[in-house]
C-alpha cells in the first residue's frame, strides 16, 4: 500500500495535493491516509495542512524519481492518463491555469492528440504574460510531440498554429535577425500556402520580420 501511494504520488509530481491523489487512487480514504502518514513519519514526504486540504512534497527529488522509475511503463502510462482525465473532469480551473501539467501527463500517457492541444495552450498562456522563454519551450515541445502523429491535413493546420504562436516569442527572445525566427515564419508561410490559408496573422508576422531584418 505504501509503495502504491508513493508511486502514484510520484507520478503526480514532486508536490501533490491530497485531493487529487484521493481522486485518482483506488484506495479508500482511511487506507490512503494511513499510507501517507507512514511516508511522513519515515521522512520521505513533507506534509502541509490536513486532509482533505493537505499537500505533500517529496523530501528529495531522488525519492520521487526512484518511486516513479519503479513503475512498469504500462502502469505509468495508465497513471498519467488517469491523472489527466481526473484533472479535466474535476479540476477545470487547474486545466485552464496550468495547461502545462495536462500537457505533460498526456504526453507521458502516450495520448498525443490531447498533449499537443495542451502544449499549445501552455505556450499561448506563457506568451500572453510575456514569459517568452517559457512559451518557446512549451511550443517547441508541442511541435516535437506533433511530429509523432500521422501526416494529415489536421496535423498541418496544427503545426501552422504552433509556428504562428512561436514566431513572436522567438522574436522576443532571440531577436529579429535570429535564424530560429526566420525558420518559424518561413515555415508558417509554407504551411499556409499549402493549406490555401494565408492568414493575415502569418503575413503580419512575416512583414514584421522582414522590416526589422532589413534595418
Amino acid at each position: 500500500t505504501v509503495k502504491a501511494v508513493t508511486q502514484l504520488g510520484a507520478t503526480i509530481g514532486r508536490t501533490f495535493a491530497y485531493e487529487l491523489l484521493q481522486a485518482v487512487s483506488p484506495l479508500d480514504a482511511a487506507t490512503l491516509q494511513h499510507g501517507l502518514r507512514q511516508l511522513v513519519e519515515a521522512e520521505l514526504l513533507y506534509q502541509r495542512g490536513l486532509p482533505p486540504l493537505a499537500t505533500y512534497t517529496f523530501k528529495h527529488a531522488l525519492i520521487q524519481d526512484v518511486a516513479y522509475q519503479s513503475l512498469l511503463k504500462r502502469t505509468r502510462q495508465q497513471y498519467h492518463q488517469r491523472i489527466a482525465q481526473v484533472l479535466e473532469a474535476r479540476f477545470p480551473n487547474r486545466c485552464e491555469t496550468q495547461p502545462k501539467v495536462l500537457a505533460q501527463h498526456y504526453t507521458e500517457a502516450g495520448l498525443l492528440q490531447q498533449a499537443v492541444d495542451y502544449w499549445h495552450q501552455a505556450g499561448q498562456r506563457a506568451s500572453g504574460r510575456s514569459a517568452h522563454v517559457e512559451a518557446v519551450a512549451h511550443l517547441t515541445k508541442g511541435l516535437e510531440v506533433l511530429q509523432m502523429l500521422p501526416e494529415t491535413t489536421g496535423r498541418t493546420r496544427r503545426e501552422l498554429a504552433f509556428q504562428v504562436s512561436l514566431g513572436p516569442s522567438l522574436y522576443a527572445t532571440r531577436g529579429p535577425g535570429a535564424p530560429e525566427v526566420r525558420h518559424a515564419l518561413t515555415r508558417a508561410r509554407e504551411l499556409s500556402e499549402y493549406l490555401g490559408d494565408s492568414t493575415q496573422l502569418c503575413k503580419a508576422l512575416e512583414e514584421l520580420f522582414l522590416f526589422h531584418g532589413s534595418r
Side-chain angles (χ1 to χ4, degrees), residues 134-146:
E134 189 179 328
V136 169
H138 296 337
L139 294 168
T140 300
K141 178 63 177 178
L143 279 169
E144 290 174 5
V145 175
L146 184 64

Side-chain angles (χ1 to χ4, degrees), residues 100-175:
K100 176 190 173 185
V101 173
L102 274 294
Q104 290 173 323
H105 284 302
Y106 271 126
T107 299
E108 294 300 329
L111 297 172
L112 306 184
Q113 296 275 4
Q114 296 93 322
V116 165
D117 290 339
Y118 279 111
W119 282 121
H120 192 234
Q121 288 181 37
Q124 288 186 306
R125 184 172 179 81
S127 178
R129 63 176 193 276
S130 297
H132 292 294
V133 172
E134 189 179 328
V136 169
H138 296 337
L139 294 168
T140 300
K141 178 63 177 178
L143 279 169
E144 290 174 5
V145 175
L146 184 64
Q147 297 309 310
M148 300 178 196
L149 294 173
E151 276 193 56
T152 62
T153 300
R155 192 186 88 169
T156 303
R157 289 191 182 282
R158 288 164 112 177
E159 185 185 347
L160 174 58
F162 269 92
Q163 297 293 358
V164 169
S165 298
L166 189 57
S169 288
L170 285 171
Y171 186 98
T173 56
R174 308 286 204 273

Side-chain angles (χ1 to χ4, degrees), residues 15-48:
T15 297
F16 56 91
Y18 173 82
E19 189 178 20
L20 177 57
L21 182 68
Q22 183 184 33
V24 299
S25 174
L27 301 173
D28 61 76
T31 304
L32 184 63
Q33 289 180 32
H34 178 68
L36 287 167
R37 276 197 302 273
Q38 287 183 283
L39 290 167
V40 171
E41 288 168 4
E43 298 187 349
L44 298 176
L45 292 178
Y46 290 125
Q47 178 179 343
R48 182 176 180 181

